[in-house]
Amino acid sequence: MVHFTVEEKAVITSLWGKVNVEEAGGEALGRLLVVYPWTQRFFDNFGNLSSASAIMGNPKVKAHGKKVLTSLGEAIKNMDDLKGTFAHLSELHCDRLHVDPENFKLLGNELVIVLAKYFGKDFTPQVQAAWQKMVAGVAIALAHKYH
Amino acid sequence: MSLTKTERAIIVSMWGKISTQADTIGTETLERLFLSYPQTKTYFPHFDLHAGSAQLRAHGSKVVAAVGDAVKSIDNIAGALAKLSELHAYILRVDPVNFKLLSHCLLVTVAARFPADFTAEAHAAWDKFMSVVSSVLTEKYR
């Protein structure tokens, strides 16, 4: 189980307070689809994903990105029980969505890069390390109910 | 997997800017690697890895210089990194999983320092480029 120190929780929560969830969600999900095009396999009904600009401007991508990051926001309020928080979503991603858990790691890393882009120097190596732990914990939690 | 003309152009043009901060980018990349992925420190028992250490700075410069060599010979990365490929295969034997971790930390560093340039398209090109570099460096492993 991932264990966050008091400092790590503070770092994560404080940065999250400054994130525009709608914008960051769209950026992170969009970049996942651009950088790793095979991830588009889960989004056949999203319309135009034919180029980087089409993807980044696609309203369905933005809406779904916002949904995903909003869920992450909920997890940040429950960092001591990520598995519990994501239990239902884990079952959903396994039984209905059939998403390979490897994709959770990819998206997590895309989010880290988007945060680096937004926060520049403030996204120090220490801040990054806390966030890598966070996204790793979320990925593990989302895979936890797979069978 | 090979780089398209557009991807090569993006890499080469961004390198112009990146190379002006090469040394600090190298150091920062390694700092990020060792903090986020402490297991990578196992390859450097002989180093002082504290922030600001001379060894860290020297090694960071070395790593980024090698990336620069790959950029300068972007049409023949395998040729440019042949010696490094042998070094990693026979002497260093760094587990292949670590190349992804280092690549990620380099991208984080570049994104933090050049946010306006690090568009989704540029991000994809750099991720692919580092993936090619990593393949070259591990291709003689077995």
Side-chain angles (χ1 to χ4, degrees), chain A residues 27 30-31 34-36 52 56 102 108-110 112-114 116-121 123-126 128-130 132, chain B residues 28 31-33 35-37 100 104-105 107-109 111-121 123-125 127-128:
Chain A
E27 272 291 315
R31 278 167 190 260
V34 169
V35 178
Y36 309 111
M56 299 311 286
E102 182 61 29
N109 279 336
E110 292 307 277
V112 166
I113 288 180
V114 167
K117 192 177 129 82
Y118 285 165
F119 293 102
K121 263 201 282 188
F123 199 68
T124 63
Q126 290 78 4
Q128 179 189 352
Q132 295 291 169
Chain B
E28 186 181 322
E31 271 174 15
R32 290 180 181 281
L33 181 72
L35 267 174
S36 282
Y37 309 107
K100 275 197 189 166
H104 173 66
C105 290
L107 262 52
V108 169
T109 303
R113 288 176 179 235
F114 304 99
D117 298 283
F118 206 67
T119 61
E121 211 181 350
H123 177 168
D127 193 280
K128 204 170 159 186

Side-chain angles (χ1 to χ4, degrees), chain A:
Chain A
M1 185 178 113
V2 182
H3 216 78
F4 298 94
T5 64
V6 170
E7 292 82 13
E8 285 165 343
K9 286 186 193 177
V11 156
I12 289 165
T13 311
S14 118
L15 196 88
W16 190 248
K18 303 178 204 156
V19 170
N20 177 326
V21 166
E22 179 164 9
E23 208 185 303
E27 272 291 315
L29 184 64
R31 278 167 190 260
L32 180 77
L33 300 174
V34 169
V35 178
Y36 309 111
W38 53 92
T39 58
Q40 293 168 26
R41 68 191 299 283
F42 300 109
F43 302 103
D44 273 338
N45 64 337
F46 266 31
N48 187 4
L49 299 178
S50 61
S51 68
S53 54
I55 291 171
M56 299 311 286
N58 183 312
K60 283 191 171 176
V61 171
K62 289 184 187 185
H64 197 67
K66 180 181 176 186
K67 203 181 191 180
V68 170
L69 272 213
T70 302
S71 172
L72 185 74
E74 286 311 300
I76 289 175
K77 298 179 196 156
N78 289 290
M79 284 180 355
D80 288 328
D81 184 22
L82 292 177
K83 284 182 180 152
T85 306
F86 282 111
H88 171 70
L89 273 174
S90 179
E91 282 169 9
L92 183 83
H93 280 76
C94 172
D95 299 329
R96 280 224 281 132
L97 304 176
H98 311 296
V99 175
D100 178 342
E102 182 61 29
N103 293 286
F104 307 141
K105 294 183 196 170
L106 294 181
L107 183 61
N109 279 336
E110 292 307 277
L111 175 62
V112 166
I113 288 180
V114 167
L115 293 176
K117 192 177 129 82
Y118 285 165
F119 293 102
K121 263 201 282 188
D122 290 343
F123 199 68
T124 63
Q126 290 78 4
V127 171
Q128 179 189 352
W131 273 93
Q132 295 291 169
K133 225 170 145 180
M134 180 71 200
V135 300
V138 170
I140 290 168
L142 276 171
H144 187 64
K145 292 285 192 181
Y146 272 59
H147 60 96

Side-chain angles (χ1 to χ4, degrees), chain B residues 44-96:
Chain B
F44 301 94
H46 51 301
F47 266 28
D48 166 13
L49 293 177
H50 290 106
S53 106
Q55 283 178 310
L56 200 60
R57 265 182 290 128
H59 200 68
S61 298
K62 228 180 195 172
V63 169
V64 171
V67 173
D69 288 342
V71 175
K72 285 174 214 136
S73 301
I74 200 161
D75 294 327
N76 181 15
I77 296 175
L81 300 185
K83 287 240 166 70
L84 265 183
S85 181
E86 283 173 9
L87 183 76
H88 282 78
Y90 306 128
I91 317 284
L92 302 178
R93 292 171 290 184
V94 171
D95 191 287

